[in-house]
C-alpha cells in the first residue's frame, strides 16, 4: 500500500534491504557502493517516487548542475574579474563552477574535444578564445551549451566589448588633442606571434590615423606578449629605433601602458608634458597611476555571460532558450586622467 | 554464457533492453534517463562487470575526482596566482577543480557546513582563511581532506609564508638604513574591521621598533581594507594628522604600497629621497614601480598545497597519507629596488 506522506530515506533503505547509510551513499553517487547495490537502491527510490537531494533532482531533469569555465590564464586581472562575475551569478542559481586552465590553442582544442566524453557539465563558458566548429558540434551533440565571454562568435551566445570602438575612443581622444605621431603597443596572440591578440584594437589604430591622412609608421608599432615588462622593453625599443620620439602612445591594454609609463619615467620623459599615454581596460591600478583609459566592466561581462548560460539552459523564465549567436556588447567609455594632454608645440 | 572478451557498451544495452545511447547516458549519470531505466542499465553493467569511464572507475574506488578550492576573493592577484598553482598540479593528476567564492566569515562557515551534505569532493583547499573546528570535523567525518593555502593551521596540512619573518625582513631593511620614524599601512580583516588581516605582519612592526627602543606612534599606523585606493587615503590621512611626516612607510602588501606611492607623488614627496616605501609580495607590477619588497612565490605555494592534497588522498607514492598539521613554510626574500634609501639627515 502506498503511503500518503512523502517517502523517507528509511522507506527506500528498507525496501532495498540495505542500511540507511548505504542507501544514502548510493543515492548520492559517491562512496564505495557496488553497482548492484546502487541499482537496487535506485529501483527502490524509483518505486517509491523518492527524491533525496538537489543532485537527485538534477539527475531527474537531466542536468549535472555544473558549468565549466575555461580560461587561457587565471592569474591575470581580466580573467580573475571575469571568473568572479561568472561565479557570482551561477552560484546564486545553485550551479557549481568547474575551472579549467587551458594554455595554448592546441591544448584548448584537445580539452574541448575530450569534454563530451566526460559528460560532466551542462554548459561551457570559454573566456577570450574561440571554439572551433568541430569542437562546437561535438559539445552541442551531447547537449552542452556554449557561451563565449570576452570574445565574439556568430555560432553561440557571447558577451564582449566592441574592441574597435574601444580603440577608436582612445585614439580619437589623442587625435582630438592634436597628436599625429602616435606609437602603438599591441598585445600579440601567443598562438600566432606577431599577430595582434585583439585585432579590433589594431584596426582602430589604422582607421584613426587613416581618417587623418597619416600613414602608419612601422617604427612606432610593436607587438608584445601581454605583459608589462615586455611592453616596457618595446617602448624602449621604439625610443631607440625611431629618430624622433612619438608624442603619444596607444597601448592595447592598461597593463601594457604600465610598462610604457615605466620606460618613459626611466628615460626622463615627463607624462603627459613630453609624451601622452592612453590604455584600455580601467585596470584597478590605472587610477593610482593617473592613466587615461577606456573603461570596461569585466565583472559585469562575466555576470552577463552567466545569465546567457542560464538562458541557454532554460533557467531564465522570460527568455527560455537563447538564440544561437545572441550577443551582448558591453559598453565602454573614456576616462580622462593626467596621462594625456596636447602635444608640445 | 559469459563472454571471454571484455563486455562492450552494446552488451550492456542489449541485456538492459535499451538503446546504446540510453545505456551510455544512464552510465554517465547525466542526461534525462528515468531512475528505473538507469537502475536496469546499472544492473546489466554490474552483471557483465562492465566499466565504462573514469567517472565509473572513480565510483568504484569511492572518489569523486573533484577538489573544491574555496577563496574569499577571486579577482585579487594573490588569489589568482594561488588558484593557478593549485589547478596546474591537480589537473595534471586528473582532478577537476570546483571553484567557490565565499565572501565573509558567516558565508564561509555556512558553505563549509553544507559541503558534506553535497558529497561532491574528495578534498577542500581553503585559501587564506581558517576552518572552524566544527566544520573541520564534519568534513573529515565524510572523508574529505582539508588543506590550507596561504594560512597556517595546527589541525590540517598547510602552505604559507612566515608573515612575521616577511615583515621583519622589510622592517629590518628600513631600520638598517637608519629609519626610526616608520609608518605602517596594515590590511585589516574585513570580518573584524580594525584588526590586521595578517597579524604576523603587524607583530613584526612592533617587534622591529621595540628592538630599537622606539615606541609605536599611533598617528603613524592605519588599518585599511585591502585596496590600493584605501591605502592612498590612509597615507594622506597620516600626512595630515602626524605633525612631522614619517621618513619611511611599511605596507602589509604591495597593492597597499601602490596607493602609498600615489599619495606621496601627489603630495610632492620624492621616493626615496623624502620618504622610503617598502611592501610585501613582489606583485607583478612592483618591478615596474621600482618598489622594494619582500617576495613570495604564490603560484608555487598553490602547487605545494595541491601536492599536500595528493598526499592526503594517498596519491603521492612516497608519502602516503599526510600528517595532520604537516606544514610547508614557503621562503621569502628581500628585493631591493629604488623605493628605499637612508633617511635625509
Amino acid at each position: 500500500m502506498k503511503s500518503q506522506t512523502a517517502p523517507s530515506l528509511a522507506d527506500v533503505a528498507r525496501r532495498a534491504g540495505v542500511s540507511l547509510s548505504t542507501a544514502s551513499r548510493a543515492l548520492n553517487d559517491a562512496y564505495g557502493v557496488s553497482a548492484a547495490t546502487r541499482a537496487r537502491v535506485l529501483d527502490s527510490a524509483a518505486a517509491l517516487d523518492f527524491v533525496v537531494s538537489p543532485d537527485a533532482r538534477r539527475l531527474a531533469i537531466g542536468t549535472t548542475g555544473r558549468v565549466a569555465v575555461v580560461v587561457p590564464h587565471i592569474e591575470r586581472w581580466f580573467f580573475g574579474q571575469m571568473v568572479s562575475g561568472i561565479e557570482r551569478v551561477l552560484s546564486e542559481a545553485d550551479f557549481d563552477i568547474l575551472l579549467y586552465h587551458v594554455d595554448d590553442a592546441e591544448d584548448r582544442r584537445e580539452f574541448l574535444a575530450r569534454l563530451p566524453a566526460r559528460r560532466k557539465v551542462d554548459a561551457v563558458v570559454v573566456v577570450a578564445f574561440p571554439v572551433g566548429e568541430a569542437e562546437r558540434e561535438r559539445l552541442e551533440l551531447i547537449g552542452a551549451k556554449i557561451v563565449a565571454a570576452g570574445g565574439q562568435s556568430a555560432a553561440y551566445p557571447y558577451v564582449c566589448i566592441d574592441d574597435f570602438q574601444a580603440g577608436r575612443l582612445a585614439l580619437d581622444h589623442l587625435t582630438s588633442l592634436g597628436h599625429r605621431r602616435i606609437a602603438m603597443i599591441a598585445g600579440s596572440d601567443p598562438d600566432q606571434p606577431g599577430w595582434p591578440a585583439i585585432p579590433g584594437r589594431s584596426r582602430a589604430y589604422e582607421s584613426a590615423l587613416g581618417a587623418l591622412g597619416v600613414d602608419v609608421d612601422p617604427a612606432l608599432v610593436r607587438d608584445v606578449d601581454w605583459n608589462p615588462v615586455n611592453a616596457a622593453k618595446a617602448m624602449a625599443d621604439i625610443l631607440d629605433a625611431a629618430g624622433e620620439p612619438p608624442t603619444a602612445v596607444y597601448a592595447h591594454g592598461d597593463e601594457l601602458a604600465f610598462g610604457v609609463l615605466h620606460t618613459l619615467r626611466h628615460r626622463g620623459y615627463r607624462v603627459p608634458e613630453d609624451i601622452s599615454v592612453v590604455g584600455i581596460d580601467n585596470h584597478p591600478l590605472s587610477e593610482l597611476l593617473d592613466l587615461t583609459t577606456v573603461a570596461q566592466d569585466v565583472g559585469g561581462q562575466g555576470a552577463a555571460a552567466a545569465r546567457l548560460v542560464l538562458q541557454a539552459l532554460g533557467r531564465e523564465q522570460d527568455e527560455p532558450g537563447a538564440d544561437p549567436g545572441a550577443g551582448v556588447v558591453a559598453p565602454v567609455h573614456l576616462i580622462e586622467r593626467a596621462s594625456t594632454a596636447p602635444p608640445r608645440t
Side-chain angles (χ1 to χ4, degrees), chain A:
Chain A
M1 191 185 98
K2 206 176 157 156
S3 158
Q4 293 295 12
T5 57
S8 71
L9 181 60
D11 298 330
V12 174
R14 198 157 36 234
R15 188 184 172 107
V18 300
S19 72
L20 207 62
S21 70
T22 299
S24 169
R25 284 202 302 277
L27 289 168
N28 279 291
D29 291 350
Y31 291 94
V33 178
S34 76
T37 302
R38 193 147 156 263
R40 208 158 67 237
V41 172
L42 286 172
D43 265 343
S44 163
L48 292 169
D49 259 341
F50 178 78
V51 173
V52 66
S53 70
D55 273 4
R57 274 194 295 276
R58 287 187 189 289
L59 284 170
I61 58 165
T63 67
T64 65
R66 293 189 290 267
V67 173
V69 177
V70 191
V71 294
H73 311 274
I74 298 177
E75 68 291 351
R76 260 168 45 192
W77 163 80
F78 179 90
F79 297 91
Q81 290 284 114
M82 190 65 91
V83 171
S84 179
I86 294 168
E87 203 271 353
R88 184 164 49 77
V89 171
L90 289 182
S91 69
E92 272 167 22
D94 211 25
F95 279 88
D96 289 318
I97 300 293
L98 281 172
L99 183 70
Y100 295 102
H101 182 198
V102 184
D103 242 338
D104 60 19
E106 182 52 36
D107 269 8
R108 294 199 290 267
R109 259 192 302 278
E110 200 188 300
F111 172 80
L112 290 170
R114 265 195 347 254
L115 202 55
R118 300 180 170 190
R119 291 193 185 158
K120 289 174 180 174
V121 296
D122 300 331
V124 180
V125 182
V126 293
V127 181
F129 66 85
V131 174
E133 189 59 18
E135 286 78 39
R136 186 176 73 79
E137 280 176 5
R138 290 200 57 183
L139 285 168
E140 297 201 335
L141 210 62
I142 59 128
K145 306 296 181 184
I146 307 174
V147 167
Q152 196 163 342
S153 164
Y156 40 86
Y158 63 85
V159 181
C160 63
I161 62 167
D162 179 335
D163 288 300
F164 178 81
Q165 182 204 3
R168 279 300 300 253
L169 277 176
L171 285 153
D172 292 352
H173 171 63
L174 292 178
T175 58
S176 71
L177 289 168
H179 292 280
R180 294 297 178 269
R181 194 164 167 72
I182 301 171
M184 174 167 73
I185 307 291
S188 77
D189 183 345
D191 301 324
Q192 295 177 283
W195 288 81
I198 307 172
R201 299 190 191 178
S202 288
R203 280 190 288 106
Y205 179 72
E206 289 146 24
S207 133
L209 293 183
L212 295 167
V214 178
D215 289 334
V216 169
D217 177 354
L220 296 181
V221 175
R222 290 293 181 284
D223 289 301
V224 300
D225 238 19
W226 200 278
N227 178 310
V229 174
N230 294 337
K233 286 182 192 141
M235 189 67 233
D237 199 28
I238 287 174
L239 293 172
D240 292 339
E244 192 192 338
T247 65
V249 183
Y250 160 63
H252 273 202
D254 289 358
E255 284 159 311
L256 302 177
F258 299 157
V260 169
L261 292 173
H262 172 83
T263 295
L264 294 179
R265 190 174 66 242
H266 275 250
R267 294 292 184 100
Y269 291 98
R270 290 165 305 160
V271 174
E273 292 83 352
D274 302 321
I275 299 182
S276 287
V277 180
V278 65
I280 294 177
D281 278 342
N282 200 27
H283 185 286
L285 291 175
S286 297
E287 183 182 351
L288 289 172
L289 293 170
D290 300 316
L291 180 68
T292 295
T293 189
V294 176
Q296 61 170 322
D297 174 5
V298 181
Q301 289 173 63
R307 284 190 292 268
L308 288 179
V309 167
L310 296 178
Q311 276 178 32
L313 296 175
R315 289 283 297 269
E316 296 269 277
Q317 293 305 324
D318 2 304
E319 297 179 75
D323 300 339
V328 174
V329 177
V332 291
H333 65 279
L334 181 75
I335 298 182
E336 289 190 50
R337 297 200 184 101
S339 71
T340 47
R344 281 197 296 178
T345 44

